[in-house]
Amino acid sequence: MSTSKSDIDCPESRLKCPTMTPRADPRGSSWGTVATLANTCIGVGCLSIPFLYNTCGVLGGIVLTLAVTVLTSFASTTLVSSAHTYKATSYQKLMERALGKRLGPPVAIFMSVSVIFYLFGCSASYLILLGDAIPPTIEPILGTGSFWCQRWV
């Protein structure tokens, strides 16, 4: 027996309304944000650190890794401190409140566009990594002529 939308919405209906699952909070959660940022940073690090050590050597790689660690720690601490001071919950709100009503909105838009390009770059690097890693792994199973083992770019 099927129910129509009017049957479900009508309080006088003799039919039982199906249980609805609550929707997720569209704003996200603090842990979700931390997990997303950690996933992005760790993923990019996994792709870039071997290249760094290959290019700069062990000593240069260690020095540059420590320098970037210090800069990242300083930037993160400054960002969290500023967000706490201005009571901002996003990059955009922080820019608007810290820079004022005139300069804040354009900088907030610039930050949003920058984040979009950063995430697009991360996605592209993941696809490149998959394109390099998966075909040699599945080639012995599917054969060299398989669709899954071909690279077009």
Side-chain angles (χ1 to χ4, degrees):
M1 176 178 182
S2 66
T3 60
S4 68
K5 184 172 178 9
S6 62
D7 290 334
I8 293 172
D9 291 340
C10 180
E12 294 85 29
S13 173
R14 294 177 190 245
L15 299 174
K16 289 187 176 180
C17 294
T19 56
M20 302 293 282
T21 57
R23 288 188 172 197
D25 186 6
R27 295 173 296 168
S29 66
S30 296
W31 286 112
T33 303
V34 169
T36 300
L37 287 173
N39 185 20
T40 303
C41 293
I42 291 169
V44 171
C46 289
L47 295 174
S48 63
I49 287 180
F51 179 75
L52 169 74
Y53 280 85
N54 186 33
T55 305
C56 299
V58 175
L59 184 61
I62 290 172
V63 168
L64 285 174
T65 301
L66 291 175
V68 169
T69 301
V70 169
L71 289 173
T72 302
S73 178
F74 174 73
S76 298
T77 303
T78 303
L79 187 63
V80 169
S81 174
S82 298
H84 181 68
T85 301
Y86 290 104
K87 295 178 178 34
T89 56
S90 68
Y91 286 133
Q92 292 78 13
K93 286 183 183 177
L94 179 60
M95 293 299 116
E96 289 172 1
R97 291 178 182 170
L99 298 175
K101 292 185 179 192
R102 180 179 171 160
L103 190 58
V107 174
I109 291 170
F110 175 75
M111 287 299 300
S112 295
V113 171
S114 298
V115 169
I116 288 169
F117 280 115
Y118 175 70
L119 293 175
F120 179 77
C122 290
S123 298
S125 64
Y126 291 142
L127 290 174
I128 291 168
L129 178 67
L130 287 173
D132 289 343
I134 290 182
T137 306
I138 62 174
E139 193 172 280
I141 300 167
L142 300 177
T144 56
S146 171
F147 171 79
W148 300 106
C149 298
Q150 296 177 8
R151 292 283 304 263
W152 294 290
V153 177

